[in-house]
Amino acid sequence: MRVDDDYLEAVLDLAQRIPPGRVMTYGTIAEFVGDQLVADGGRRRGGPRQVGQVLARAGGGVPWWRVVNAAGSPPASNLSRALTELQREQTPLVAAGLRVDLTAALWWPDSD
DNA sequence: ACATTGACTAATT
DNA sequence: TAATTAGCCAATG
């Protein structure tokens, strides 16, 4: 299988592993996926922007609203939709509910 | 091969 | 605390 497909799958899988009410940042995902690919002998991809690119393209079937930037804000393009989903999953929010409370909601694979 | 762009981040103002 | 700037990685034209 090709490396670019691996990257795509790795990002999507990780995104789908995020439990409801929790979130991950683009940067964290990029680091985890990068390490995973290196362990598999693939090329380093590192790059929060690449993660965003993949999620943007992923479309349906992926809980993209559980992935936010370092400030805790969901994508500006679908901000209202994301906030709706986040509220529905009882994700801790701050600043008038515009951003996610990262100190409380931030999650990563080992924190299961 | 060069320039532009994007669901980013960290540092600076 | 919010807005701006510079750095970053890969895809695209």
Side-chain angles (χ1 to χ4, degrees), chain A residues 17-64:
Chain A
R17 285 176 60 182
I18 304 175
R22 296 308 231 14
V23 299
M24 272 188 92
T25 71
Y26 294 96
T28 307
I29 291 179
E31 288 179 34
F32 265 89
V33 173
D35 290 347
Q36 180 181 321
L37 287 180
V38 170
D40 286 345
R43 283 194 313 189
R44 165 72 72 170
R45 291 270 164 174
R49 308 191 80 122
Q50 276 47 269
V51 173
Q53 193 62 56
V54 169
L55 288 176
R57 237 197 120 162
V62 181
W64 49 264

Side-chain angles (χ1 to χ4, degrees), chain A residues 86-105:
Chain A
L86 289 172
Q87 287 174 36
R88 187 169 63 76
E89 307 195 337
Q90 303 181 335
T91 309
L93 303 177
V94 296
L98 321 164
R99 306 183 323 206
V100 175
D101 181 1
L102 294 180
T103 65

